[in-house]
Amino acid sequence: MDLFTADDNVASWEKELLSLRGSDRIALLVPLAWHLRQRDHRRALELSSQALSLLSVSTLPGPRAERVRLRIGLVRAETMRLEGQLDAALAEVERLLPLWEALGDACGCADAHWMLAWIAIDRGDHARSNGELARAALRARECGDAERAGIADAATARWAVLHDRNAAVAVWGQRFTPAAAQAASPALATWIYDYLALAAGEAGDFAAAAGYFIRCYECALQTGQLRAAITAANNLGENFAALNDHQSALEWLKRGLDLARPTGLPRDVGGCLMNTADTLRRLGQLEPAREMLDEALAILRPLANGRSYAMALRYLGDMCLDQKDYEGALDAFRRLAERALALGHSDFRSVALRGQAHALLLLGRGALARDAALEAEQLAREQNHVHNQIAALRVLAMIHSRHQLPPPDGMAEPTAALHYLHAALAAGSGIDGFLVPGEMLDAMAAQYAALGDYRRAYEIATQASAARETTHSRDATNRAVAMHVHNQTDRARNEGQHLRQLAEAEARRAEVLQRTSSTLERLSAIGREVTAHLDPAAVFETLNRHIHGLMPATTFAIYLTDPGGTMLVRVFGVEQGAPMAHNSFLMSNPAAISVRCITELREIYIENWGDSPNRYVVPGTVDNMTGLFAPLMAGDRAIGVMTVQALEPYAYGDLERLVFRTLCAYGAIALDNARAYTQLRDAQSQLVAQEKLAALGSLMAGVAHELNTPIGNSLLIASTLQDRTTELAKQVEAGTLRRSDLQRYVDDAGKATVLAMRGLTSAATLVNSFKQVAVDRTTEQRRSFDLRQVCQEIVATMMNRLRAAGHSIEVEVPPGLVLDSYPGPFGQVITNFINNALLHAFDGRRDGRMQLSAQQLPDSRIQVQFSDDGCGIPAENLARIYDPFFTTKLGQGGSGLGLSISYNIVTALLGGQVTVTSGDSGTTFTLELPLAAPESAQPEPEAIY
């Protein structure tokens, strides 16, 4: 996350935030709050609170959630600082810094140090601020953020100028140049221009300083650095005042005040007020200037340790001197001296001592005034503040002209006053373009006249007159320079705006292309997702999820026609995140826009519903202002209507309408497929039931045929034995029974009994198998069963057909394989495999061989294989054998459902898998089944149409 960002990015995030819901908003709430911290600190706090509320119910990973909390903590600390709550801000950042360290987030640490530096500046602790800025730059370099590091270094350089301009330029002058500022990002350029402006101003080049401050102001505004922009506007006021362009000075001061007033932040408002007050003082407007300055001092009182309050004390001292309140001036300059010492700012110390000397002089305390002025002059000379040095020397001349005091050491002039005035001239000669003030020459002329040197006094008075004329010319020159600065700045601004407009136009074009491309890719992915569903409810939810991510959608609803085509039924609706109740419209209802949409087969877009003369709002729904309706077309058939609506008018542009049409097309395809699938599933269920009944009927016929032989044989034997018994009884009655006859009867009876028992036993076995298989096939009752026994029973029921066709089957299933499953459906699968082999595998030949085998697998699974040695399945048909109604024997006994049903039973009910391999040597079906079938799924929800 950048330290500062451009307005365009903030506007883009604000717009994107409108379409996000729930915890998805956190990703934009945090950067928005961070980058609004100076633009609009109140809204920044509001967004921070929203992010924390969402974070409490989100599923963000721990480190990411912690970063969110810490970033929001920095936003709150910045707000405390801006509002003047410096102690609270310091405590908060010092709490956050070790937490950033624990996360190993160097950029977060850099931002914490940056904030600690500015809190220290506002508190007047510049020694700490320099250390914090250095640490901020160091941590920024650790995370590879050159911009952050550059901003921290440039801020260090600008404060160094105020301590010692020459030393600062020696350290930073080669790095921070005008060319570097032009090449830098606006965020970094703000601070480079600020440094360049202060360096030029301290050297007396107020025109160059003004130009740099104007660029600083513009870059600061562009990147949301409101405080830097206000400071630049105040400094511009000072620079234009120094150039005698007081009108421009007031314009810039007003501009700064207009920025500061809405924020209500003390440093910003107070700084603008005091600078405006000083300009009014210079123009002689003492009363309004004093009122404004008193207001500034009251506002800045919570920041009494900072540079802004020190500047206000300087202005107060000058104001008191002009108002002849010399005691008040002395007090103000003494307080300024205390603040200058605490801040370590040599320029303020020199000004404070010079001001005290001036006030003491006017109070009649000559010796004290001289001591203060001497100290001010020495300090200014050591720090190379020539203007401050000249001001101190002039005060010394005034002191010695009014008080009899010991002369200074090394005095070469007739009087001490002349000594200091000549020293001031000598100091000024070292400044390029220095113009000697006429009043200073008048003071020298007066001194020579008092000594009786009238010739010298006349010469100097003549120079004073010339100086005044030159001063008037210099004032005009300064105004011209100020105008030139304005013109240069305006031209640069216009050129910059033109280039920016070109860049923005190109960026917009690129954005449109990028957005169009990304939108198409996203819609394509959405289309695949939507049409992949065959469940209407899943289609509804998918469309609802994506529609809210692509466009504003207070209300989203889908209407479908009923089977009779007389009603339009709302089958899905969401409004402000809550589900809507189902309702319907008659297709003859003229007031229903959805009905018009489907009957006229056209899209209906209502830009501003509030302007509609025939507006109708469904009771209990939101009063939306924008509505978009489109028919759901499946080919040339209209199956329903989809609508999206928003609270604000004109919510949808061309792109949103294109997106909506595309989603309607995908939705129509998916819902039509879901309807067709539901119909197919119902038809298949009916066919499966018919197939089961047909299989059961075939089984009964086969069993009846199998029972016919043993029962017929037993009946023949029983009737024969009955006849022999009747004959034996007659012989007994007639008395003609012989021993040999009796023995022959006993032998025949024994043989008949054996044959009858064999036939009846076989019939009983068949009946028992039939009973078990018949029950299993007509129900889906789950039970534990022995696999070998069930397989033998299934094969036994099929033996009649197998023998009739001249084929054989071998069962190789080991004993002891017990399954907790559905033996009936399992038997139907094996029966379908056998029937499929009889119908397709042997192609009219006899002596075909089939095999049914099974084996135990790891992980509580078994493998069952059914194979034949037939002609195999052609390669082009192998991928279609499970398709419903696919058969190569249509009209010859093949329905195309056997293997499809088998596949569904194995995969859905038995919880297994089925694979097939086929070639010239035959076909093998392999089942992998769990020993325990899965619990039956709940019935699928009924489709709503």
Side-chain angles (χ1 to χ4, degrees), residues 275-338:
N275 282 287
T276 305
D278 190 61
T279 301
L280 290 174
R281 177 189 66 80
R282 297 185 190 199
L283 292 172
Q285 304 295 316
L286 297 184
E287 290 187 9
R290 183 59 187 261
E291 290 178 5
M292 193 171 286
L293 185 58
D294 288 342
E295 182 184 358
L297 285 164
I299 291 174
L300 290 170
R301 190 163 290 116
L303 303 172
N305 293 331
R307 183 176 173 86
S308 296
Y309 194 79
M311 183 70 74
L313 290 174
R314 171 186 175 177
Y315 292 159
L316 177 61
D318 290 337
M319 179 74 70
C320 289
L321 288 176
D322 287 354
Q323 291 180 324
K324 297 182 173 50
D325 179 9
Y326 305 130
E327 289 288 355
L330 182 61
D331 178 67
F333 283 121
R334 281 176 174 170
R335 290 159 62 195
L336 174 61
E338 294 173 359

Side-chain angles (χ1 to χ4, degrees), residues 102-158:
L103 277 179
D105 191 319
C107 281
C109 293
D111 293 346
H113 286 299
W114 169 264
M115 205 164 291
L116 286 171
W118 286 99
I119 294 171
I121 288 168
D122 288 345
R123 291 165 63 92
D125 188 356
H126 280 264
R128 177 171 183 178
S129 72
N130 289 334
E132 296 294 352
L133 287 173
R135 283 185 280 274
L138 177 64
R139 300 313 301 270
R141 290 186 177 92
E142 288 179 8
C143 65
D145 194 325
E147 182 181 84
R148 263 186 175 85
I151 290 173
D153 287 342
T156 301
R158 68 96 62 190

Side-chain angles (χ1 to χ4, degrees), residues 698-781:
S698 176
L699 175 66
M700 292 176 66
V703 170
H705 183 77
E706 286 294 319
L707 287 174
N708 186 57
T709 299
I711 293 177
N713 290 339
S714 299
L715 183 61
L716 177 62
I717 292 169
S719 63
T720 302
L721 184 60
Q722 183 181 25
D723 291 342
R724 293 296 307 275
T725 302
T726 301
E727 181 181 347
L728 181 64
K730 289 179 179 179
Q731 288 178 334
V732 171
E733 290 177 359
T736 59
L737 181 65
R738 293 177 296 179
R739 183 179 181 86
S740 59
D741 292 333
L742 180 60
Q743 186 61 46
R744 187 168 55 253
Y745 173 79
V746 171
D747 293 341
D748 290 341
K751 293 176 182 179
T753 303
V754 171
L755 291 174
M757 285 299 296
R758 184 183 301 165
L760 292 175
T761 300
S762 177
T765 301
L766 284 171
V767 168
N768 287 333
S769 297
F770 167 72
K771 287 171 60 181
Q772 185 63 66
V773 173
V775 170
D776 284 345
R777 292 191 185 197
T778 55
T779 68
E780 293 183 358
Q781 183 177 1

Side-chain angles (χ1 to χ4, degrees), residues 61-229:
R64 186 176 170 191
E66 182 66 7
R67 281 184 175 85
V68 169
R69 294 187 185 92
L70 297 182
R71 183 62 60 180
I72 290 173
L74 288 179
V75 172
R76 292 182 168 180
E78 176 84 338
T79 300
M80 295 174 192
R81 179 181 80 87
L82 295 174
E83 291 179 343
Q85 304 172 33
L86 300 182
D87 292 341
L90 178 63
E92 178 65 5
V93 182
E94 288 181 338
R95 181 186 72 83
L96 297 172
L97 180 57
L99 300 178
W100 281 115
E101 294 280 4
L103 277 179
D105 191 319
C107 281
C109 293
D111 293 346
H113 286 299
W114 169 264
M115 205 164 291
L116 286 171
W118 286 99
I119 294 171
I121 288 168
D122 288 345
R123 291 165 63 92
D125 188 356
H126 280 264
R128 177 171 183 178
S129 72
N130 289 334
E132 296 294 352
L133 287 173
R135 283 185 280 274
L138 177 64
R139 300 313 301 270
R141 290 186 177 92
E142 288 179 8
C143 65
D145 194 325
E147 182 181 84
R148 263 186 175 85
I151 290 173
D153 287 342
T156 301
R158 68 96 62 190
W159 286 109
V161 167
L162 299 175
H163 288 276
D164 189 332
R165 187 258 180 200
N166 294 334
V169 171
V171 174
W172 301 103
Q174 295 298 316
R175 177 177 174 188
F176 296 131
T177 63
Q182 291 176 359
S185 66
L188 175 55
T190 298
W191 296 93
I192 298 178
Y193 281 129
D194 192 23
Y195 157 77
L196 292 171
L198 288 173
E202 288 294 310
D205 191 351
F206 301 116
Y212 292 138
F213 273 131
I214 288 174
R215 290 172 174 80
C216 171
Y217 172 85
E218 292 175 342
C219 291
L221 275 188
Q222 182 183 349
T223 53
Q225 302 183 68
L226 194 63
R227 171 152 287 181

Side-chain angles (χ1 to χ4, degrees), residues 771-809:
K771 287 171 60 181
Q772 185 63 66
V773 173
V775 170
D776 284 345
R777 292 191 185 197
T778 55
T779 68
E780 293 183 358
Q781 183 177 1
R782 179 173 182 152
R783 66 181 178 86
S784 295
F785 62 91
D786 183 86
L787 182 63
R788 180 177 183 179
Q789 179 183 348
V790 167
C791 289
Q792 288 175 340
E793 291 170 351
I794 295 167
V795 169
T797 61
M798 296 295 295
M799 284 304 298
N800 180 54
R801 291 192 60 191
L802 291 170
R803 281 197 295 266
H807 306 306
S808 63
I809 184 169

Side-chain angles (χ1 to χ4, degrees), residues 234 252-262 269 272-273 276:
N234 287 333
W252 276 104
L253 290 169
K254 181 179 183 302
R255 193 175 299 183
L257 188 57
D258 288 343
L259 281 178
R261 280 286 193 194
V269 178
C272 292
L273 287 171
T276 305

